[in-house]
Every structure is written in structure tokens, then in C-alpha cells.
Amino acid sequence: MSQDAVHTTARLYLCTDARQGRGDFADFVDAAFAGGVDIIQLRDKSLEAAEELELLDVLHQAAHRHNRLWAVNDRADLASLSGAPVFHIGQKDIPTGAARTFLGQDAIIGLSTHSPAQVDAAIASSSGRNGLDYFCVGPVWATPTKPGRAAVGLDPVRYAAEAAAGAVPWFAIGGIDLGNVEQVVDAGARRIVVVRAITEADDPAGAARALLAALDAGN
């Protein structure tokens, strides 16, 4: 999947930890991609750099088999070393321009946003040579993957749907699952990031297909 795919076709973005308790990382990411996930990000703060690089190689191989994208969170050095096509940053991480300088023009760079003001800033920074390629809005609902961060609700999703207006791809994120995905679609989201909706599913491929069907139903 090319960088242009983020702008045109990528809709389902999965964040997962290393699944150390289950020991099934390779099988899990392969199943998620098979179910239709477009991008998988490894996000696990417990990993040492060498461990993360090993798992990123596994993720890279799975993404290559399925012609999909894979992402590194926060660590520009690991993104560069692993050759990750997608790099995601938070509001307090390395600045977008610095990430672009470090990773080059071919990298797909995304940013987390939590308010209309941050959405506006992300849209503004999407233009130009060092610009963002996508942003995320949330967390829509409270989620244990971001302890201490208050849910922002659906209003920022509605705001992004109007403000972005096709200018830059964006994803709704935070506590989204099959039981509430219709609400974010109704609020204007056409792309979503999920965690537990797939990581806790007995059938990751089936969970991915069901989420994509819900997105299709709302379009």
C-alpha cells in the first residue's frame, strides 16, 4: 500500500501491544491484516529497543505479505532503523518538522489531536513539504490504553469532519468498537483507530471484517 493509500483507501487502523501474555504476535497481526486492517501500529511501552525491533520485523513481513502498512509510535529512531512506512506522534513528542527531517519525505507521519484547536493546527500543518499526512481525533470514549486522558466525546469528531473537509485524512480514536462505531460514523468519521475491538477478539480477522462492514454501512 502506497502513501497515497492513506489519503484514499486506509480506513481501519489497529494499535496493538506485543501480546507477550499470549505469545501470538505473528499470528495475530497476520489475522488482522487478513481481515482487512489497513495499518497496524505496534505500541508497547514495556519493550526494550531490541525487542521492539524484532517485533517490528515480524510486523513488516506480515504487512508485506498482505500489501498493507505498518507503523511505529513515538520512537523516530526505531522508525528509521526498521524502515517503517508510518510514524505516529503525540502532542508532546518530537515535532512534526523534526520527524520529517529525520525520516525523510517518503515517511507517512500522523499526529494525535484532542481538541478543535489541535485539529486546526494539524490541518494547517498538513500543507507544505514538512506537513502531516494524517491526524487522529480522540479519545472519543475513555480507554485503558490511555490512562488519565479524559474522553473528548463526539464533538471534536464532528468538528474534524467539517474542518478537514477532505484536506487531510483523519481517524477517530478511543474506545471505538462494534457497539459504538455507528455513532462515530454518524458524527462524520470515515476512518477509525481501534485497539480492544480487535486485540481482545477471539477472531481478529472476523472482528476487522465486522468493523469494516459497519464503516461501509455508514457511507
Side-chain angles (χ1 to χ4, degrees), residues 71-120:
V72 168
N73 183 55
D74 293 347
R75 294 285 300 269
D77 55 341
L78 298 186
S80 178
L81 287 168
S82 65
V86 182
F87 179 58
H88 190 84
I89 51 179
Q91 289 289 320
K92 296 182 179 180
D93 295 326
I94 182 173
T96 305
R100 181 67 69 194
T101 298
F102 192 83
L103 297 173
Q105 295 303 310
D106 290 337
I108 301 167
I109 298 178
L111 175 70
S112 296
T113 69
H114 316 295
S115 68
Q118 291 176 359
V119 167
D120 286 341

Side-chain angles (χ1 to χ4, degrees), residues 9 18 26 50 53 60 81-82 85 99 120 123 125 140 152 184 187 201 211 216:
T9 64
L53 285 170
H60 181 186
L81 287 168
S82 65
D120 286 341
I123 293 169
S125 68
V140 180
V152 300
V184 293
L211 287 163
D216 288 337

Side-chain angles (χ1 to χ4, degrees), residues 8-117:
T8 59
T9 64
R11 297 183 298 155
L12 185 56
Y13 191 146
L14 168 65
C15 293
T16 182
D17 64 11
R19 298 179 70 83
Q20 292 175 317
R22 303 191 190 196
D24 65 347
F25 183 78
D27 290 339
F28 171 76
V29 296
D30 196 68
F33 279 133
V37 171
D38 297 298
I39 308 170
I40 297 180
Q41 177 191 126
L42 174 60
R43 186 173 69 195
D44 192 326
K45 303 291 188 180
S46 71
L47 296 174
E48 298 291 344
E51 294 175 308
E52 186 163 348
L53 285 170
E54 289 181 3
L55 290 171
L56 288 172
D57 184 58
V58 172
L59 181 55
H60 181 186
Q61 292 178 45
H64 179 73
R65 285 193 298 273
H66 294 277
N67 192 30
R68 300 291 177 174
L69 294 169
W70 55 287
V72 168
N73 183 55
D74 293 347
R75 294 285 300 269
D77 55 341
L78 298 186
S80 178
L81 287 168
S82 65
V86 182
F87 179 58
H88 190 84
I89 51 179
Q91 289 289 320
K92 296 182 179 180
D93 295 326
I94 182 173
T96 305
R100 181 67 69 194
T101 298
F102 192 83
L103 297 173
Q105 295 303 310
D106 290 337
I108 301 167
I109 298 178
L111 175 70
S112 296
T113 69
H114 316 295
S115 68

